Amino acid sequence: MSRRQRIKETLGDLKGADPRDLAKWLFWVKLRDALDPDRPEQVARFFPLWRAQHQFAGKQKALMADEYRRWLGDSVDVEPLIREAYRVAFRVHFEELMLGKLNAQTVQKYMVFEGRENLDAALARGKGVVLLNPHAGNIMMMIAALSLGGYKYNQYAARGMAPPEVAAANPEVFGINRWRQEVRDVREANEDNLPANFLTLNQSARELYRRLKANEIVGIAFDGRIGKKFVKVPYINRQALLNSGPYRLAASTGAAIVPALCSSPDGAPNVLTLGEPIIGDDPDVLIRRFLSEAVEPWLNKNPHIYGIWLTHCRERSAVDDHPFFVDYAPDDRWKKYDR
């Protein structure tokens, strides 16, 4: 195809395209090529632009304010939390552009460890580790730091575009077009350049057991919405529906649960805090210990880090039968998980 034909085809695709999709395409596909992973200060120059995203966030900010009040109460001044939530999210997206370019040396400029001895002690048991994190902070940089740091790391998560039936039912959120597809392809290609292993729902769960038996790390975002078995549990002063799979996996294999918490202090590298191992054979006890001993105390000290995920789930509350929190469920389907 000639250059003229390519330009004509691109211009044709632009007709009717959502400006938000085009902006994401320019960001993830084109901007990445211009950035040098050895110069974190180059990336940091873009960080102040978070203010523009915050300014034009519109109704998303109102939803985030409501989410914070449901968690922290009506007396809390939520505006500083919202501002910090956008600062962190904007930074995370820019730093993710580095994923496919990082190595064992350059990744240390973007993330440092706290509590690494807790992870090493858990692995010393020889039964593997179920590493659980909330959707907070730079999770992809966490995967980079651990895998490039020499750990045998496996991330269990959804990948690719939404299934066709889900996309058709929710076109505004999950619709598929050229721009969204190319962004997804580029992002996953960057992730695949890491020495981490990405496991998806399309693979047998037996692979998780094999990875733990080999004394490797299986990473899971515990507040993700994938899965089929959810339980209602108290969480950040509300009633949440959380996937019970990680806790059943740890209980049945003897693997230790290690909390992984990512923070993004302003003007400094990201911090990955690895909590003390949590071990047991009762999934119900494990989930409550994990939440009350590790996650909730940290989130209550760093509530700004969670605003974007809370709002993301709120915006998608009607997509399936297990909304994150039952207090905004659009119908009664979630009750089948109540026991």
Side-chain angles (χ1 to χ4, degrees):
M1 182 184 296
S2 69
R3 182 171 179 272
R4 177 177 292 182
Q5 288 174 315
R6 287 197 300 271
I7 293 173
K8 185 177 180 180
E9 182 179 295
T10 300
L11 290 174
D13 289 342
L14 284 171
K15 291 181 179 179
D18 189 324
R20 293 169 296 182
D21 291 338
L22 294 177
K24 289 178 181 178
W25 178 79
L26 289 170
F27 179 82
W28 290 107
V29 179
K30 296 301 180 183
L31 179 59
R32 177 183 177 274
D33 293 338
L35 299 176
D36 181 353
D38 230 355
R39 297 176 58 197
E41 73 282 358
Q42 182 189 40
V43 181
R45 290 195 190 104
F46 291 94
F47 293 168
L49 294 175
W50 71 264
R51 294 179 176 87
Q53 184 181 18
H54 170 266
Q55 182 178 355
F56 295 106
K59 64 180 181 180
Q60 187 182 66
K61 288 189 293 186
L63 282 179
M64 192 181 301
D66 186 59
E67 284 295 292
Y68 275 130
R69 292 188 182 105
R70 291 179 187 226
W71 168 12
L72 302 169
D74 292 334
S75 63
V76 173
D77 182 5
V78 299
E79 183 53 35
L81 300 179
I82 293 171
R83 289 173 60 83
E84 277 293 281
Y86 280 99
R87 177 191 67 79
V88 171
F90 196 86
R91 169 183 174 169
V92 165
H93 279 109
F94 261 90
E95 289 180 330
E96 282 187 16
L97 293 173
M98 297 291 97
L99 284 181
K101 300 182 175 185
L102 295 170
N103 57 40
Q105 287 71 47
T106 55
V107 72
Q108 298 175 46
K109 299 181 179 183
Y110 296 88
M111 178 165 273
V112 297
F113 291 93
E114 284 186 358
R116 188 168 184 167
E117 67 278 5
N118 291 323
L119 178 58
D120 292 338
L123 288 169
R125 299 174 63 249
K127 295 185 177 182
V129 162
V130 178
L131 191 86
L132 298 185
N133 63 275
H135 278 88
N138 202 330
I139 298 170
M140 293 309 306
M141 196 61 69
M142 174 194 78
I143 297 172
L146 289 169
S147 61
L148 289 168
Y151 292 98
K152 296 291 186 181
Y153 188 93
N154 306 272
Q155 182 68 30
Y156 185 61
R159 298 188 90 194
M161 303 298 287
E165 64 276 10
V166 176
N170 304 273
E172 178 65 22
V173 177
F174 297 116
I176 299 172
N177 57 46
R178 169 195 166 177
W179 313 104
R180 292 183 182 184
Q181 184 65 60
E182 191 168 347
V183 166
R184 173 52 55 189
D185 291 344
V186 168
R187 292 185 70 173
E188 292 187 359
N190 293 342
E191 295 168 6
D192 289 338
N193 280 332
L194 297 172
N197 183 30
F198 289 89
L199 304 174
T200 72
L201 293 176
N202 295 327
Q203 295 168 276
S204 170
R206 289 193 294 270
E207 186 61 24
L208 303 179
Y209 288 85
R210 283 193 283 265
R211 296 302 95 216
L212 293 174
K213 187 175 182 180
N215 199 33
E216 297 180 6
I217 298 171
V218 172
I220 303 173
F222 76 87
D223 53 3
R225 312 321 298 153
I226 63 172
K228 297 180 180 179
K229 294 184 179 180
F230 287 80
V231 293
K232 189 182 78 168
V233 292
Y235 179 49
I236 57 173
N237 297 327
R238 299 166 75 179
Q239 295 294 316
L241 295 176
L242 297 179
N243 191 339
S244 63
Y247 313 96
R248 291 183 283 108
L249 178 66
S252 64
T253 61
I257 291 175
V258 172
L261 307 164
C262 302
S263 57
S264 301
D266 197 8
N270 297 281
V271 179
L272 170 58
T273 300
L274 296 161
E276 294 184 4
I278 299 172
I279 302 164
D281 58 7
D282 186 331
D284 292 334
V285 172
L286 285 176
I287 189 171
R288 284 169 172 78
R289 284 191 59 199
F290 171 71
L291 295 176
S292 64
E293 296 176 12
V295 178
E296 289 181 304
W298 185 80
L299 284 176
N300 285 326
K301 291 180 181 178
N302 302 277
H304 66 280
I305 209 83
Y306 215 29
I308 294 295
W309 182 247
L310 292 177
T311 310
H312 171 89
C313 292
R314 178 73 172 271
E315 291 171 330
R316 291 157 174 75
S317 60
V319 168
D320 49 43
D321 63 4
H322 49 273
F324 195 6
F325 293 101
V326 302
D327 57 24
Y328 56 60
D331 51 51
D332 290 339
R333 289 178 297 162
W334 69 269
K335 290 186 177 180
K336 70 180 184 181
Y337 302 109
D338 192 11
R339 60 182 177 86

